[in-house]
Amino acid sequence: VLIGEVARRSGVSARMLRHYDALGLLGQVGRTGSGYREYSGEDIERILHIESLRALGLSLREVGRALDDPGFRPSELIAELIGQTRERIAAETRLLTQLRRVGAAEPAGWEDVLQVVALLHALGSENAGRRQRAALSSALSSAEEFAVPVDALVEAALEETDPNVAGALRWALARSGGGLQQLARGLGSPVAEVRERAAQAIAEIPGEAATELLRAALTNADIVVRRCAALALGPRGSAEAIPTLIDMVATEGRDVDAADALGVLAGDPVLADRIATGLVNRLTGGAVDPAARRQLTQALAGIPGDRTSQALTELSRDADRAVAVTAAYLLKLREPPDR
Amino acid sequence: VLIGEVARRSGVSARMLRHYDALGLLGQVGRTGSGYREYSGEDIERILHIESLRALGLSLREVGRALDDPGFRPSELIAELIGQTRERIAAETRLLTQLRRVGAAEPAGWEDVLQVVALLHALGSENAGRRQRAALSSALSSAEEFAVPVDALVEAALEETDPNVAGALRWALARSGGGLQQLARGLGSPVAEVRERAAQAIAEIPGEAATELLRAALTNADIVVRRCAALALGPRGSAEAIPTLIDMVATEGRDVDAADALGVLAGDPVLADRIATGLVNRLTGGAVDPAARRQLTQALAGIPGDRTSQALTELSRDADRAVAVTAAYLLKLREPPDR
DNA sequence: CCAACTTTTACGCCGCGTCACCGTCT
DNA sequence: AAGACGGTGACGCGGCGTAAAAGTTG
């Protein structure tokens, strides 16, 4: 069979058939008296084999090695090819999300494209300084002509380990005002750090939508998220955060911040009563550790109202000297200034 | 700034910087007195721009065209790049599934790999004849050393439009005995044809697992699926199919097949009674169209038992002549042979 | 004799590493 | 004067299209 016939039937161009021959992939191909290549049935079969292996992604060189080595184990090669293909898909997918972000920024001209690309690239950089600069510039560039790619900011904020850069990213997000939906998804991440970062980022975003999200986060499965949400909800005047905040006052660590948040909420007299009652219930409930009782007592400092005054009077006779002294001191502070 | 410095700070190799220069991407780069390239701040900025565009997947030639044309609209280019990238991802993904299937076939040597690849390739061919041969060969090759990639068969069977090839594929699937799980997923496809093909394929697979799946399919949202399942469940002795089959008898199209299936089920005397009752209820229920009544009467032919005989006696006096004649004829057939 | 084949040889593409060989700074 | 820079030119890789120039079929 001559080369043209083989080319037509196998779908491989005559050029490539000659190339295979030149590379020695076919062993020796027969020739007619006048020098034309004469392919045998075996040759054709071998050509089909070559095409099969090439379809799996092997290079011609690899095909040659594979077909020549009769004792080759295919399974590991297949596994390796799978790995390589996955890697390529991952790279292409990263490229695709970059492209989508650039497109979403609706650049008006090349200048904008270049700026967005540089920004995205810097946000994904290994270098913390570059990331920092990128975060700051996206925080400040909201007045530019192109839209800052919010989802890239969210992704960066959720993955950022450097605290300074993370802060800058949260600031940028807060200024952009968007990304709440993706941050909300971050609250459900399997990774604890991501959940916490999402909660912090939402906490720094102003507006009713973020507040609503924080209220929902009060029922999050992750206690860290719940506490972060509660701290942020205090200044926003959300009474739903009170139980979590009282829990936090009784816990080591964020008790001062929680007490402050309760103090802000207690600006409303109705809430002040509820908060005071909650704190007192905690103090008189059984099995509370002494350190927690002291923190709860101190938290009463920020809560106005008669309910607190009564509680402090009783606490000034508390069995725990530290509690009694603190309560007495706070009581004196609350005496009316007109002697 | 000399080339080495630029290379170190931009991450672009000196080789490539010279290449950019040779391609004219940078306009004219300055030179020192001794002929060294001297990059200005603008040059460096331009280099960063080039890198940005290359990161988006543009070739050097495209970068040159883009940067030279000041009035270029970037948005359409971005859209095109997105399309191309998606296409590449799709191609790589197809390759990945092929590779996984080859790996799943656990080939012992190159021979097996080649056969599996050829088979997969033929299954995905445009040419119906090739697909047919591939289907037949995978139906017959279950005795070979390698495992036929069942999921490829399922995918092919769910997408096949040629009825002959589809039949061969279902046969191959039935012989392989696997793929039920993926076929079950096909029952939930948004495409009606795919759902029907999945149902047909399951119907041809023997065994309790397939029967169970068919029973579940009786509650499928797609009526075609339900009917296909019911037809297949008849011969498997599943009484659950009876209501659907009776519905089918009263409907144009598959009524004869449904009647046959009911006849098989009626081999069990208890079921025979239930079926007869069901058919009679349909006949005496209000607002049944005449054609349906005739089909229901004919279906009684295959149902033994006294209940049927009584019904036929009554029907032989039916107002519809066709029904009455049919019933009378069937009654005569049922007279005991001993005169 | 012509048309349709075949043959070999060779260039180009694209992005880039790497050499060779030579000049120029400090 | 050594060694770190810079310059140009060229080759190679991989997979193939394409084209030229010539010979072989029917």
Side-chain angles (χ1 to χ4, degrees), chain A residues 111-246:
Chain A
E111 313 304 318
D112 295 354
V113 172
L114 293 170
Q115 263 188 278
V116 175
V117 172
L119 193 70
L120 291 175
H121 193 244
L123 278 179
S125 160
E126 295 288 323
N127 179 320
R130 287 170 102 80
R131 293 203 302 276
Q132 174 81 321
R133 279 195 300 277
L136 291 175
S137 101
S138 44
L140 295 169
S141 76
S142 46
E144 301 288 322
E145 322 87 58
F146 61 89
V148 177
V150 177
D151 54 344
L153 287 180
V154 171
E155 188 187 307
L158 292 181
E159 299 299 329
E160 182 62 60
T161 55
D162 182 301
N164 293 318
V165 181
L169 287 168
R170 288 197 301 271
W171 184 46
L173 271 175
R175 289 197 42 134
S176 86
L180 276 175
Q181 204 179 353
Q182 298 146 80
L183 285 170
R185 249 180 282 135
L187 286 177
S189 160
V191 183
E193 285 85 356
V194 171
R195 290 195 299 270
E196 187 175 351
R197 288 180 204 130
Q200 274 195 61
I202 298 171
E204 293 186 17
I205 295 178
E208 188 48 41
T211 306
E212 197 48 56
L213 214 51
L214 288 169
R215 266 196 280 266
L218 283 175
T219 62
N220 193 288
D222 184 344
I223 190 171
V224 180
V225 170
R226 291 201 301 272
R227 291 182 170 174
C228 186
L231 278 183
L233 280 171
R236 292 168 193 239
S238 279
E240 294 96 326
I242 292 174
T244 307
L245 287 171
I246 292 178

Side-chain angles (χ1 to χ4, degrees), chain B residues 185-211:
Chain B
R185 249 179 283 137
L187 287 177
S189 161
V191 182
E193 287 85 353
V194 171
R195 292 195 297 269
E196 186 175 353
R197 289 181 203 128
Q200 273 195 61
I202 297 170
E204 292 187 18
I205 295 178
E208 187 50 40
T211 306

Side-chain angles (χ1 to χ4, degrees), chain B residues 55-248:
Chain B
L56 292 185
L58 279 80
S59 71
L60 288 181
R61 187 184 305 264
E62 292 166 321
V63 168
R65 273 200 295 263
L67 287 179
D68 282 348
D69 183 349
F72 206 81
R73 310 292 305 162
S75 51
E76 47 198 276
L77 179 84
I78 296 285
E80 195 190 327
L81 286 172
I82 288 179
Q84 289 171 1
T85 306
R86 252 203 274 268
E87 182 47 52
R88 260 174 290 143
I89 290 178
E92 296 278 11
T93 306
R94 282 193 295 273
L95 173 61
L96 184 58
T97 72
Q98 293 282 84
L99 282 169
R100 271 205 273 249
R101 284 167 180 171
V102 173
E106 297 186 354
W110 281 117
E111 312 304 319
D112 295 354
V113 173
L114 294 170
Q115 264 188 276
V116 175
V117 173
L119 193 69
L120 290 175
H121 193 244
L123 277 179
S125 160
E126 296 288 322
N127 179 319
R130 287 171 100 80
R131 292 203 302 274
Q132 174 81 319
R133 282 197 297 280
L136 291 175
S137 102
S138 44
L140 295 167
S141 77
S142 46
E144 302 288 323
E145 325 85 56
F146 61 89
V148 177
V150 177
D151 53 345
L153 287 179
V154 172
E155 188 188 306
L158 292 181
E159 301 298 329
E160 182 61 60
T161 54
D162 182 299
N164 294 318
V165 181
L169 286 167
R170 289 198 299 270
W171 184 45
L173 271 176
R175 289 198 40 137
S176 85
L180 277 176
Q181 204 178 352
Q182 296 147 81
L183 285 171
R185 249 179 283 137
L187 287 177
S189 161
V191 182
E193 287 85 353
V194 171
R195 292 195 297 269
E196 186 175 353
R197 289 181 203 128
Q200 273 195 61
I202 297 170
E204 292 187 18
I205 295 178
E208 187 50 40
T211 306
E212 197 49 55
L213 214 49
L214 289 169
R215 264 196 280 264
L218 283 175
T219 62
N220 192 287
D222 184 347
I223 191 172
V224 181
V225 169
R226 293 202 299 273
R227 291 182 169 172
C228 185
L231 278 182
L233 281 170
R236 295 172 190 234
S238 280
E240 293 94 329
I242 292 174
T244 306
L245 288 171
I246 291 178
D247 274 349
M248 290 174 73

Side-chain angles (χ1 to χ4, degrees), chain B residues 231-298:
Chain B
L231 278 182
L233 281 170
R236 295 172 190 234
S238 280
E240 293 94 329
I242 292 174
T244 306
L245 288 171
I246 291 178
D247 274 349
M248 290 174 73
V249 168
T251 314
E252 205 84 25
R254 310 289 299 267
D255 57 296
V256 180
D257 295 339
D260 285 351
L262 285 172
V264 177
L265 280 171
D268 177 342
V270 178
L271 294 186
D273 244 40
R274 267 171 53 186
I275 294 167
T277 307
L279 289 171
V280 170
N281 285 348
R282 263 314 183 89
L283 276 163
T284 57
V288 184
D289 117 85
R293 298 191 79 243
R294 287 168 208 162
Q295 287 163 201
L296 287 162
T297 309
Q298 280 168 23

Side-chain angles (χ1 to χ4, degrees), chain A residues 83-97, chain B residues 85 89 92-93 96:
Chain A
Q84 289 170 1
T85 307
R86 252 201 273 267
E87 182 46 53
R88 259 174 291 143
I89 291 178
E92 295 279 9
T93 305
R94 281 192 295 272
L95 173 60
L96 184 59
T97 71
Chain B
T85 306
I89 290 178
E92 296 278 11
T93 306
L96 184 58

Side-chain angles (χ1 to χ4, degrees), chain A residues 5 20 56 71 73 112 117 126 149 168 208 215 237 255 271 279:
Chain A
E5 177 83 358
Y20 291 175
L56 293 185
R73 310 292 305 163
D112 295 354
V117 172
E126 295 288 323
E208 188 48 41
R215 266 196 280 266
D255 56 296
L271 293 184
L279 289 170

Side-chain angles (χ1 to χ4, degrees), chain B residues 28-41:
Chain B
Q28 16 59 301
V29 177
R31 298 278 181 148
T32 67
S34 55
Y36 285 11
R37 261 166 271 250
E38 170 111 74
Y39 291 90
S40 69

